[in-house]
Amino acid sequence: MSTCTVFENVRLIDPASGLDKPGRLLVRDGVIVGHDLPDAEGKPKGAEVVDGQGAVLCPGLVDMRVEIGEPGHEYRETVKSASRAAFAGGVTTVAVLPTGSPPIDDPAMVRMLRFRGEEPDYVSILPYGALTKGCQGAELAEIGLLSEAGAVAFTDGNRAIASARQMKLALTYAQAFDALVVQHPEEPTLAGGCATEGELALRLGLPGIPTAAEAIMIARDIRLVEMTGGRLHFGHVSTGEGVELIRQAKARGIRVTCDTAPQYFDLNETAIGDFRTYAKFSPPLRRENDRLAICAALADGTIDAIASDHAPRDPDDKRLPFAQASAGGTGLATLLGVTLTRYHDGTLSLSDALALLTCRPAALLGVSGAAARSGARPIGILAAGAPADLCLFDPDRAWQVIAGELPGHAQNTPFDGRALEGKVMGTWKNGRRVFGGAA
């Protein structure tokens, strides 16, 4: 039986098309039919009506950097628990890193994860393929077969490709499939510490990582892209020197892109406080001048996307001395709220902030509307014919992050106690409500 939903009294924002106006949106059988003016009359007989109370209705968020516990670490998180966290944050699609156990270096694993994401109660999953077999950095994975199975890009996750020769081979080989290579930009021989090298790390007695470790890797890889003509994306950039190199490379027409994560534009190194392991990340939190440089790069468009860098960890992974504790924090449920801090302080317009969370990451992964690969499900847009993956949120509604009360299994948030403005009121996947009650 056909189903219809009309969203009324909403502010429609679609960064992909520049749409930003009050209006109504009609969804039929899980697909967007179109939108019209707020005072338009009539609706299909029997249609469900959602009164948005003036809130923003935008495409469901696309998170391009997520770890989940499956396969191999279900004690940290499952697809089911990650979906609860994602939907509470307005996220309807996640790109999953290939670093589970076993790693995603087999086409069957890619197909299995995509299949899990097609279940109605689960967030849509776009798997990364491992760039090297086992994410070990020694031998290239079967990029062609993995791409054919549905891998959207290739990376070894938080393990940098250390060998320049190996990265050159990867960029050259991936080019044959127009595949995107994603690098963790941290020179590994300099990255043996656990905090940013400097006065704070020295005072706490923690082994430091120089900020130059990021710039050195970015500079090397930009030169390799120039040599090969490949496509390279830098994940979670965190330093002013790093984004400046990317800014200059883009100005020269080199095919490099980058993303960052909320902890790098909302926190600085002082958040580690008195050895607070929930604020331990890879790369580590930076000094204030780097945080400000990341904000500037968001504003001028150097940074292409914001990813949650969601990394669920068990309390036992974190309940260790700082140097031995696992790096990473949860981020799905707080992705929108923390990003909107840059809207509320005037760094970004609301549409630009949403673009970094919807159409721009979708375009990088080849699943945006116009740029969607043949047969791919177009996401990150509010266009007629697109799946009705939707997020309804109030940009001014305040809430507080409390570890232990977040949706999902993992609770290792670095934003515990943080007051945020921007609350998700409802999330829909394929037109079906998956989060929130009455709007």
Side-chain angles (χ1 to χ4, degrees), residues 61 63 66 77 81-91 94 262 308-311 329-340 391 399-402 405-411 413 415 420 422-424 427 435:
L61 309 191
D63 189 345
V66 169
E77 193 173 67
S81 65
S83 296
R84 288 201 304 272
F87 291 147
V91 177
V94 295
S308 72
D309 232 359
H310 181 77
T330 61
L332 283 165
T334 55
L335 175 62
L336 178 63
V338 181
T339 298
L340 289 178
C391 170
W399 63 291
Q400 186 176 25
V401 181
I402 301 177
E405 296 183 7
L406 291 173
H409 182 63
Q411 300 291 318
T413 173
F415 299 107
L420 297 174
K423 182 73 174 170
V424 175
T427 305
F435 174 76

mmCIF file of all heavy atoms in Angstrom, residues 61 63 66 77 81-91 94 262 308-311 329-340 391 399-402 405-411 413 415 420 422-424 427 435:
data_model
loop_
_atom_site.group_PDB
_atom_site.id
_atom_site.type_symbol
_atom_site.label_atom_id
_atom_site.label_comp_id
_atom_site.label_asym_id
_atom_site.label_seq_id
_atom_site.Cartn_x
_atom_site.Cartn_y
_atom_site.Cartn_z
ATOM 1 N N LEU A 61 22.350 13.352 7.606
ATOM 2 C CA LEU A 61 23.781 13.621 7.582
ATOM 3 C C LEU A 61 24.553 12.413 7.047
ATOM 4 O O LEU A 61 24.152 11.258 7.236
ATOM 5 C CB LEU A 61 24.276 13.969 8.986
ATOM 6 C CG LEU A 61 23.516 15.059 9.752
ATOM 7 C CD1 LEU A 61 24.292 15.455 11.002
ATOM 8 C CD2 LEU A 61 23.238 16.272 8.895
ATOM 9 N N ASP A 63 28.190 10.776 7.334
ATOM 10 C CA ASP A 63 29.406 10.788 8.156
ATOM 11 C C ASP A 63 30.466 9.927 7.469
ATOM 12 O O ASP A 63 30.305 8.706 7.347
ATOM 13 C CB ASP A 63 29.075 10.233 9.543
ATOM 14 C CG ASP A 63 30.218 10.417 10.529
ATOM 15 O OD1 ASP A 63 31.343 10.700 10.092
ATOM 16 O OD2 ASP A 63 29.972 10.268 11.738
ATOM 17 N N VAL A 66 33.842 6.577 10.259
ATOM 18 C CA VAL A 66 33.216 5.934 11.421
ATOM 19 C C VAL A 66 33.833 4.552 11.615
ATOM 20 O O VAL A 66 34.056 3.817 10.662
ATOM 21 C CB VAL A 66 31.693 5.788 11.199
ATOM 22 C CG1 VAL A 66 31.066 4.895 12.255
ATOM 23 C CG2 VAL A 66 31.019 7.151 11.198
ATOM 24 N N GLU A 77 30.831 -2.046 20.323
ATOM 25 C CA GLU A 77 29.635 -1.524 19.665
ATOM 26 C C GLU A 77 29.216 -2.491 18.565
ATOM 27 O O GLU A 77 30.034 -3.221 18.027
ATOM 28 C CB GLU A 77 29.919 -0.144 19.051
ATOM 29 C CG GLU A 77 28.666 0.613 18.612
ATOM 30 C CD GLU A 77 29.026 2.023 18.167
ATOM 31 O OE1 GLU A 77 29.700 2.166 17.134
ATOM 32 O OE2 GLU A 77 28.655 2.955 18.875
ATOM 33 N N SER A 81 23.708 -0.831 17.781
ATOM 34 C CA SER A 81 23.907 0.260 18.753
ATOM 35 C C SER A 81 24.456 1.509 18.059
ATOM 36 O O SER A 81 24.093 2.641 18.417
ATOM 37 C CB SER A 81 24.835 -0.179 19.887
ATOM 38 O OG SER A 81 26.146 -0.439 19.426
ATOM 39 N N ALA A 82 25.301 1.315 17.049
ATOM 40 C CA ALA A 82 25.805 2.469 16.292
ATOM 41 C C ALA A 82 24.664 3.171 15.559
ATOM 42 O O ALA A 82 24.651 4.399 15.425
ATOM 43 C CB ALA A 82 26.877 2.023 15.300
ATOM 44 N N SER A 83 23.700 2.399 15.096
ATOM 45 C CA SER A 83 22.549 2.986 14.391
ATOM 46 C C SER A 83 21.731 3.861 15.327
ATOM 47 O O SER A 83 21.268 4.939 14.936
ATOM 48 C CB SER A 83 21.674 1.880 13.798
ATOM 49 O OG SER A 83 22.391 1.148 12.815
ATOM 50 N N ARG A 84 21.573 3.423 16.577
ATOM 51 C CA ARG A 84 20.824 4.244 17.537
ATOM 52 C C ARG A 84 21.528 5.588 17.750
ATOM 53 O O ARG A 84 20.896 6.647 17.778
ATOM 54 C CB ARG A 84 20.682 3.513 18.878
ATOM 55 C CG ARG A 84 19.725 2.348 18.859
ATOM 56 C CD ARG A 84 19.246 1.994 20.278
ATOM 57 N NE ARG A 84 20.337 1.712 21.193
ATOM 58 C CZ ARG A 84 20.885 0.508 21.369
ATOM 59 N NH1 ARG A 84 20.411 -0.512 20.696
ATOM 60 N NH2 ARG A 84 21.864 0.335 22.232
ATOM 61 N N ALA A 85 22.846 5.540 17.878
ATOM 62 C CA ALA A 85 23.611 6.782 18.075
ATOM 63 C C ALA A 85 23.533 7.662 16.835
ATOM 64 O O ALA A 85 23.382 8.883 16.926
ATOM 65 C CB ALA A 85 25.061 6.444 18.406
ATOM 66 N N ALA A 86 23.645 7.035 15.668
ATOM 67 C CA ALA A 86 23.618 7.802 14.423
ATOM 68 C C ALA A 86 22.280 8.500 14.234
ATOM 69 O O ALA A 86 22.219 9.714 13.955
ATOM 70 C CB ALA A 86 23.900 6.877 13.241
ATOM 71 N N PHE A 87 21.197 7.768 14.403
ATOM 72 C CA PHE A 87 19.867 8.353 14.171
ATOM 73 C C PHE A 87 19.589 9.487 15.172
ATOM 74 O O PHE A 87 18.970 10.491 14.814
ATOM 75 C CB PHE A 87 18.795 7.270 14.265
ATOM 76 C CG PHE A 87 18.839 6.268 13.133
ATOM 77 C CD1 PHE A 87 18.480 4.938 13.339
ATOM 78 C CD2 PHE A 87 19.240 6.652 11.861
ATOM 79 C CE1 PHE A 87 18.519 4.018 12.294
ATOM 80 C CE2 PHE A 87 19.287 5.738 10.811
ATOM 81 C CZ PHE A 87 18.925 4.415 11.032
ATOM 82 N N ALA A 88 20.059 9.334 16.408
ATOM 83 C CA ALA A 88 19.862 10.400 17.396
ATOM 84 C C ALA A 88 20.616 11.667 17.000
ATOM 85 O O ALA A 88 20.252 12.767 17.414
ATOM 86 C CB ALA A 88 20.309 9.931 18.776
ATOM 87 N N GLY A 89 21.672 11.504 16.200
ATOM 88 C CA GLY A 89 22.440 12.652 15.740
ATOM 89 C C GLY A 89 22.030 13.148 14.371
ATOM 90 O O GLY A 89 22.702 14.024 13.817
ATOM 91 N N GLY A 90 20.970 12.566 13.787
ATOM 92 C CA GLY A 90 20.522 12.985 12.459
ATOM 93 C C GLY A 90 21.310 12.356 11.329
ATOM 94 O O GLY A 90 21.154 12.735 10.170
ATOM 95 N N VAL A 91 22.176 11.398 11.653
ATOM 96 C CA VAL A 91 23.023 10.743 10.644
ATOM 97 C C VAL A 91 22.262 9.554 10.064
ATOM 98 O O VAL A 91 21.788 8.693 10.803
ATOM 99 C CB VAL A 91 24.343 10.262 11.280
ATOM 100 C CG1 VAL A 91 25.196 9.524 10.241
ATOM 101 C CG2 VAL A 91 25.116 11.432 11.867
ATOM 102 N N VAL A 94 26.697 6.207 7.028
ATOM 103 C CA VAL A 94 28.053 6.244 7.583
ATOM 104 C C VAL A 94 28.993 5.496 6.644
ATOM 105 O O VAL A 94 28.658 4.460 6.089
ATOM 106 C CB VAL A 94 28.119 5.612 8.996
ATOM 107 C CG1 VAL A 94 27.300 6.422 9.983
ATOM 108 C CG2 VAL A 94 27.674 4.167 8.983
ATOM 109 N N PRO A 262 35.107 17.168 14.855
ATOM 110 C CA PRO A 262 34.720 18.190 15.834
ATOM 111 C C PRO A 262 35.745 18.471 16.918
ATOM 112 O O PRO A 262 35.910 19.620 17.340
ATOM 113 C CB PRO A 262 33.422 17.633 16.420
ATOM 114 C CG PRO A 262 32.818 16.869 15.287
ATOM 115 C CD PRO A 262 33.994 16.222 14.603
ATOM 116 N N SER A 308 32.648 12.596 11.987
ATOM 117 C CA SER A 308 32.590 12.455 13.447
ATOM 118 C C SER A 308 33.853 11.821 14.016
ATOM 119 O O SER A 308 34.177 12.014 15.175
ATOM 120 C CB SER A 308 31.381 11.604 13.851
ATOM 121 O OG SER A 308 31.601 10.240 13.523
ATOM 122 N N ASP A 309 34.568 11.010 13.197
ATOM 123 C CA ASP A 309 35.708 10.244 13.718
ATOM 124 C C ASP A 309 35.248 9.336 14.847
ATOM 125 O O ASP A 309 35.998 9.093 15.809
ATOM 126 C CB ASP A 309 36.814 11.184 14.213
ATOM 127 C CG ASP A 309 38.159 10.837 13.606
ATOM 128 O OD1 ASP A 309 38.221 9.880 12.828
ATOM 129 O OD2 ASP A 309 39.146 11.519 13.924
ATOM 130 N N HIS A 310 34.040 8.845 14.730
ATOM 131 C CA HIS A 310 33.424 8.011 15.774
ATOM 132 C C HIS A 310 34.269 6.759 16.019
ATOM 133 O O HIS A 310 34.466 5.949 15.113
ATOM 134 C CB HIS A 310 32.017 7.625 15.318
ATOM 135 C CG HIS A 310 31.250 6.794 16.278
ATOM 136 N ND1 HIS A 310 30.652 7.309 17.412
ATOM 137 C CD2 HIS A 310 30.962 5.470 16.275
ATOM 138 C CE1 HIS A 310 30.027 6.342 18.058
ATOM 139 N NE2 HIS A 310 30.199 5.213 17.391
ATOM 140 N N ALA A 311 34.759 6.610 17.237
ATOM 141 C CA ALA A 311 35.611 5.464 17.582
ATOM 142 C C ALA A 311 35.161 4.916 18.930
ATOM 143 O O ALA A 311 35.639 5.367 19.982
ATOM 144 C CB ALA A 311 37.076 5.883 17.625
ATOM 145 N N GLY A 329 37.215 8.654 20.351
ATOM 146 C CA GLY A 329 36.027 9.030 21.099
ATOM 147 C C GLY A 329 34.780 8.815 20.264
ATOM 148 O O GLY A 329 34.845 8.771 19.029
ATOM 149 N N THR A 330 33.642 8.682 20.937
ATOM 150 C CA THR A 330 32.388 8.575 20.192
ATOM 151 C C THR A 330 32.026 9.952 19.624
ATOM 152 O O THR A 330 32.413 10.984 20.173
ATOM 153 C CB THR A 330 31.244 8.101 21.087
ATOM 154 O OG1 THR A 330 31.063 9.055 22.139
ATOM 155 C CG2 THR A 330 31.534 6.737 21.674
ATOM 156 N N GLY A 331 31.260 9.963 18.527
ATOM 157 C CA GLY A 331 30.958 11.251 17.926
ATOM 158 C C GLY A 331 29.674 11.326 17.137
ATOM 159 O O GLY A 331 29.268 12.425 16.731
ATOM 160 N N LEU A 332 29.010 10.194 16.910
ATOM 161 C CA LEU A 332 27.823 10.218 16.055
ATOM 162 C C LEU A 332 26.720 11.109 16.632
ATOM 163 O O LEU A 332 26.143 11.936 15.923
ATOM 164 C CB LEU A 332 27.304 8.789 15.848
ATOM 165 C CG LEU A 332 28.084 7.939 14.849
ATOM 166 C CD1 LEU A 332 27.718 6.460 15.003
ATOM 167 C CD2 LEU A 332 27.812 8.393 13.418
ATOM 168 N N ALA A 333 26.411 10.934 17.904
ATOM 169 C CA ALA A 333 25.281 11.653 18.496
ATOM 170 C C ALA A 333 25.562 13.140 18.673
ATOM 171 O O ALA A 333 24.638 13.946 18.773
ATOM 172 C CB ALA A 333 24.901 11.021 19.838
ATOM 173 N N THR A 334 26.844 13.519 18.732
ATOM 174 C CA THR A 334 27.204 14.920 18.986
ATOM 175 C C THR A 334 27.690 15.652 17.736
ATOM 176 O O THR A 334 28.016 16.837 17.812
ATOM 177 C CB THR A 334 28.305 14.993 20.062
ATOM 178 O OG1 THR A 334 29.414 14.174 19.658
ATOM 179 C CG2 THR A 334 27.802 14.501 21.402
ATOM 180 N N LEU A 335 27.729 14.964 16.591
ATOM 181 C CA LEU A 335 28.306 15.547 15.371
ATOM 182 C C LEU A 335 27.630 16.861 14.981
ATOM 183 O O LEU A 335 28.295 17.878 14.751
ATOM 184 C CB LEU A 335 28.201 14.533 14.221
ATOM 185 C CG LEU A 335 28.646 15.014 12.844
ATOM 186 C CD1 LEU A 335 30.112 15.399 12.854
ATOM 187 C CD2 LEU A 335 28.380 13.930 11.797
ATOM 188 N N LEU A 336 26.317 16.853 14.912
ATOM 189 C CA LEU A 336 25.601 18.055 14.484
ATOM 190 C C LEU A 336 25.722 19.165 15.532
ATOM 191 O O LEU A 336 26.015 20.321 15.192
ATOM 192 C CB LEU A 336 24.131 17.731 14.217
ATOM 193 C CG LEU A 336 23.257 18.924 13.802
ATOM 194 C CD1 LEU A 336 23.730 19.504 12.474
ATOM 195 C CD2 LEU A 336 21.789 18.522 13.699
ATOM 196 N N GLY A 337 25.491 18.825 16.786
ATOM 197 C CA GLY A 337 25.495 19.844 17.831
ATOM 198 C C GLY A 337 26.837 20.562 17.936
ATOM 199 O O GLY A 337 26.886 21.789 18.071
ATOM 200 N N VAL A 338 27.945 19.811 17.865
ATOM 201 C CA VAL A 338 29.259 20.454 17.971
ATOM 202 C C VAL A 338 29.552 21.264 16.707
ATOM 203 O O VAL A 338 30.105 22.360 16.782
ATOM 204 C CB VAL A 338 30.359 19.407 18.234
ATOM 205 C CG1 VAL A 338 31.711 20.102 18.362
ATOM 206 C CG2 VAL A 338 30.077 18.616 19.501
ATOM 207 N N THR A 339 29.164 20.745 15.555
ATOM 208 C CA THR A 339 29.374 21.510 14.316
ATOM 209 C C THR A 339 28.625 22.838 14.362
ATOM 210 O O THR A 339 29.132 23.868 13.895
ATOM 211 C CB THR A 339 28.913 20.682 13.102
ATOM 212 O OG1 THR A 339 29.709 19.494 13.016
ATOM 213 C CG2 THR A 339 29.076 21.476 11.806
ATOM 214 N N LEU A 340 27.436 22.835 14.943
ATOM 215 C CA LEU A 340 26.647 24.069 14.989
ATOM 216 C C LEU A 340 27.258 25.125 15.912
ATOM 217 O O LEU A 340 26.852 26.286 15.865
ATOM 218 C CB LEU A 340 25.209 23.757 15.411
ATOM 219 C CG LEU A 340 24.379 23.009 14.361
ATOM 220 C CD1 LEU A 340 22.984 22.706 14.893
ATOM 221 C CD2 LEU A 340 24.280 23.784 13.047
ATOM 222 N N CYS A 391 16.639 14.824 8.202
ATOM 223 C CA CYS A 391 16.947 15.217 9.583
ATOM 224 C C CYS A 391 16.165 16.483 9.905
ATOM 225 O O CYS A 391 16.264 17.478 9.187
ATOM 226 C CB CYS A 391 18.448 15.459 9.727
ATOM 227 S SG CYS A 391 18.937 16.222 11.301
ATOM 228 N N TRP A 399 20.921 21.578 24.753
ATOM 229 C CA TRP A 399 20.982 20.309 25.478
ATOM 230 C C TRP A 399 22.401 20.123 26.005
ATOM 231 O O TRP A 399 23.312 20.866 25.623
ATOM 232 C CB TRP A 399 20.567 19.126 24.612
ATOM 233 C CG TRP A 399 21.437 18.846 23.414
ATOM 234 C CD1 TRP A 399 21.561 19.625 22.297
ATOM 235 C CD2 TRP A 399 22.292 17.722 23.213
ATOM 236 N NE1 TRP A 399 22.434 19.050 21.408
ATOM 237 C CE2 TRP A 399 22.898 17.870 21.937
ATOM 238 C CE3 TRP A 399 22.600 16.582 23.953
ATOM 239 C CZ2 TRP A 399 23.798 16.936 21.415
ATOM 240 C CZ3 TRP A 399 23.485 15.639 23.437
ATOM 241 C CH2 TRP A 399 24.072 15.830 22.183
ATOM 242 N N GLN A 400 22.584 19.165 26.869
ATOM 243 C CA GLN A 400 23.891 18.934 27.463
ATOM 244 C C GLN A 400 24.340 17.502 27.219
ATOM 245 O O GLN A 400 23.558 16.555 27.363
ATOM 246 C CB GLN A 400 23.853 19.209 28.974
ATOM 247 C CG GLN A 400 25.224 19.124 29.629
ATOM 248 C CD GLN A 400 25.176 19.487 31.101
ATOM 249 O OE1 GLN A 400 24.139 19.365 31.751
ATOM 250 N NE2 GLN A 400 26.300 19.919 31.648
ATOM 251 N N VAL A 401 25.589 17.353 26.810
ATOM 252 C CA VAL A 401 26.158 16.024 26.596
ATOM 253 C C VAL A 401 26.516 15.424 27.954
ATOM 254 O O VAL A 401 27.239 16.049 28.735
ATOM 255 C CB VAL A 401 27.431 16.111 25.725
ATOM 256 C CG1 VAL A 401 28.006 14.712 25.485
ATOM 257 C CG2 VAL A 401 27.147 16.828 24.409
ATOM 258 N N ILE A 402 25.983 14.240 28.203
ATOM 259 C CA ILE A 402 26.300 13.563 29.467
ATOM 260 C C ILE A 402 26.735 12.141 29.149
ATOM 261 O O ILE A 402 25.937 11.328 28.659
ATOM 262 C CB ILE A 402 25.085 13.553 30.422
ATOM 263 C CG1 ILE A 402 24.644 14.984 30.735
ATOM 264 C CG2 ILE A 402 25.421 12.799 31.710
ATOM 265 C CD1 ILE A 402 23.405 15.075 31.602
ATOM 266 N N GLU A 405 24.640 8.724 29.241
ATOM 267 C CA GLU A 405 23.240 8.907 28.843
ATOM 268 C C GLU A 405 23.095 9.091 27.332
ATOM 269 O O GLU A 405 22.006 9.394 26.846
ATOM 270 C CB GLU A 405 22.645 10.126 29.567
ATOM 271 C CG GLU A 405 22.579 9.946 31.085
ATOM 272 C CD GLU A 405 21.928 11.135 31.784
ATOM 273 O OE1 GLU A 405 21.414 12.024 31.081
ATOM 274 O OE2 GLU A 405 21.953 11.154 33.031
ATOM 275 N N LEU A 406 24.178 8.917 26.595
ATOM 276 C CA LEU A 406 24.097 9.058 25.141
ATOM 277 C C LEU A 406 23.447 7.814 24.530
ATOM 278 O O LEU A 406 23.581 6.713 25.078
ATOM 279 C CB LEU A 406 25.500 9.243 24.549
ATOM 280 C CG LEU A 406 26.207 10.562 24.858
ATOM 281 C CD1 LEU A 406 27.649 10.524 24.340
ATOM 282 C CD2 LEU A 406 25.457 11.738 24.225
ATOM 283 N N PRO A 407 22.777 7.952 23.400
ATOM 284 C CA PRO A 407 22.251 6.762 22.727
ATOM 285 C C PRO A 407 23.397 5.906 22.202
ATOM 286 O O PRO A 407 24.479 6.411 21.898
ATOM 287 C CB PRO A 407 21.430 7.367 21.572
ATOM 288 C CG PRO A 407 22.023 8.708 21.341
ATOM 289 C CD PRO A 407 22.501 9.198 22.672
ATOM 290 N N GLY A 408 23.156 4.616 22.084
ATOM 291 C CA GLY A 408 24.208 3.707 21.639
ATOM 292 C C GLY A 408 24.962 3.121 22.816
ATOM 293 O O GLY A 408 24.753 3.485 23.977
ATOM 294 N N HIS A 409 25.837 2.182 22.508
ATOM 295 C CA HIS A 409 26.546 1.452 23.561
ATOM 296 C C HIS A 409 27.751 2.220 24.088
ATOM 297 O O HIS A 409 27.934 2.365 25.297
ATOM 298 C CB HIS A 409 26.977 0.089 23.012
ATOM 299 C CG HIS A 409 27.671 -0.773 24.011
ATOM 300 N ND1 HIS A 409 27.054 -1.236 25.151
ATOM 301 C CD2 HIS A 409 28.940 -1.246 24.060
ATOM 302 C CE1 HIS A 409 27.898 -1.961 25.855
ATOM 303 N NE2 HIS A 409 29.057 -1.982 25.213
ATOM 304 N N ALA A 410 28.588 2.734 23.177
ATOM 305 C CA ALA A 410 29.829 3.385 23.595
ATOM 306 C C ALA A 410 29.536 4.784 24.145
ATOM 307 O O ALA A 410 28.699 5.516 23.632
ATOM 308 C CB ALA A 410 30.794 3.474 22.416
ATOM 309 N N GLN A 411 30.247 5.149 25.197
ATOM 310 C CA GLN A 411 29.991 6.430 25.886
ATOM 311 C C GLN A 411 31.262 7.262 26.056
ATOM 312 O O GLN A 411 31.263 8.229 26.827
ATOM 313 C CB GLN A 411 29.377 6.146 27.264
ATOM 314 C CG GLN A 411 28.053 5.394 27.227
ATOM 315 C CD GLN A 411 26.920 6.251 26.657
ATOM 316 O OE1 GLN A 411 26.805 7.440 26.971
ATOM 317 N NE2 GLN A 411 26.086 5.650 25.816
ATOM 318 N N THR A 413 32.838 9.850 25.221
ATOM 319 C CA THR A 413 32.804 11.148 24.546
ATOM 320 C C THR A 413 33.765 12.142 25.196
ATOM 321 O O THR A 413 33.835 12.243 26.429
ATOM 322 C CB THR A 413 31.388 11.739 24.557
ATOM 323 O OG1 THR A 413 31.446 13.077 24.038
ATOM 324 C CG2 THR A 413 30.792 11.789 25.961
ATOM 325 N N PHE A 415 33.250 15.227 24.961
ATOM 326 C CA PHE A 415 32.420 16.418 25.175
ATOM 327 C C PHE A 415 31.528 16.281 26.406
ATOM 328 O O PHE A 415 30.529 16.998 26.532
ATOM 329 C CB PHE A 415 31.559 16.693 23.926
ATOM 330 C CG PHE A 415 32.380 16.947 22.688
ATOM 331 C CD1 PHE A 415 32.469 15.993 21.691
ATOM 332 C CD2 PHE A 415 33.082 18.133 22.531
ATOM 333 C CE1 PHE A 415 33.234 16.208 20.551
ATOM 334 C CE2 PHE A 415 33.851 18.367 21.397
ATOM 335 C CZ PHE A 415 33.931 17.400 20.403
ATOM 336 N N LEU A 420 25.364 22.288 24.367
ATOM 337 C CA LEU A 420 25.304 22.495 22.921
ATOM 338 C C LEU A 420 23.978 23.113 22.546
ATOM 339 O O LEU A 420 22.962 22.923 23.219
ATOM 340 C CB LEU A 420 25.477 21.159 22.180
ATOM 341 C CG LEU A 420 26.822 20.443 22.369
ATOM 342 C CD1 LEU A 420 26.777 19.074 21.700
ATOM 343 C CD2 LEU A 420 27.959 21.276 21.796
ATOM 344 N N GLY A 422 21.435 23.013 19.307
ATOM 345 C CA GLY A 422 21.173 22.297 18.067
ATOM 346 C C GLY A 422 20.753 20.876 18.391
ATOM 347 O O GLY A 422 21.592 20.011 18.598
ATOM 348 N N LYS A 423 19.452 20.654 18.464
ATOM 349 C CA LYS A 423 18.923 19.379 18.933
ATOM 350 C C LYS A 423 18.138 18.701 17.809
ATOM 351 O O LYS A 423 17.264 19.314 17.190
ATOM 352 C CB LYS A 423 18.005 19.628 20.134
ATOM 353 C CG LYS A 423 17.411 18.383 20.751
ATOM 354 C CD LYS A 423 18.440 17.608 21.526
ATOM 355 C CE LYS A 423 17.808 16.429 22.281
ATOM 356 N NZ LYS A 423 18.814 15.546 22.850
ATOM 357 N N VAL A 424 18.457 17.442 17.554
ATOM 358 C CA VAL A 424 17.723 16.672 16.545
ATOM 359 C C VAL A 424 16.353 16.292 17.106
ATOM 360 O O VAL A 424 16.242 15.742 18.197
ATOM 361 C CB VAL A 424 18.510 15.406 16.135
ATOM 362 C CG1 VAL A 424 17.684 14.551 15.172
ATOM 363 C CG2 VAL A 424 19.834 15.801 15.492
ATOM 364 N N THR A 427 14.492 11.861 12.815
ATOM 365 C CA THR A 427 15.315 11.354 11.716
ATOM 366 C C THR A 427 14.501 10.316 10.954
ATOM 367 O O THR A 427 13.817 9.481 11.564
ATOM 368 C CB THR A 427 16.609 10.712 12.258
ATOM 369 O OG1 THR A 427 17.299 11.663 13.085
ATOM 370 C CG2 THR A 427 17.535 10.295 11.115
ATOM 371 N N PHE A 435 13.958 7.969 14.481
ATOM 372 C CA PHE A 435 14.309 8.628 15.751
ATOM 373 C C PHE A 435 13.316 9.747 16.011
ATOM 374 O O PHE A 435 12.891 10.456 15.100
ATOM 375 C CB PHE A 435 15.713 9.229 15.708
ATOM 376 C CG PHE A 435 16.042 10.029 16.942
ATOM 377 C CD1 PHE A 435 16.350 9.394 18.136
ATOM 378 C CD2 PHE A 435 15.997 11.417 16.924
ATOM 379 C CE1 PHE A 435 16.620 10.129 19.283
ATOM 380 C CE2 PHE A 435 16.262 12.159 18.073
ATOM 381 C CZ PHE A 435 16.574 11.514 19.260
#
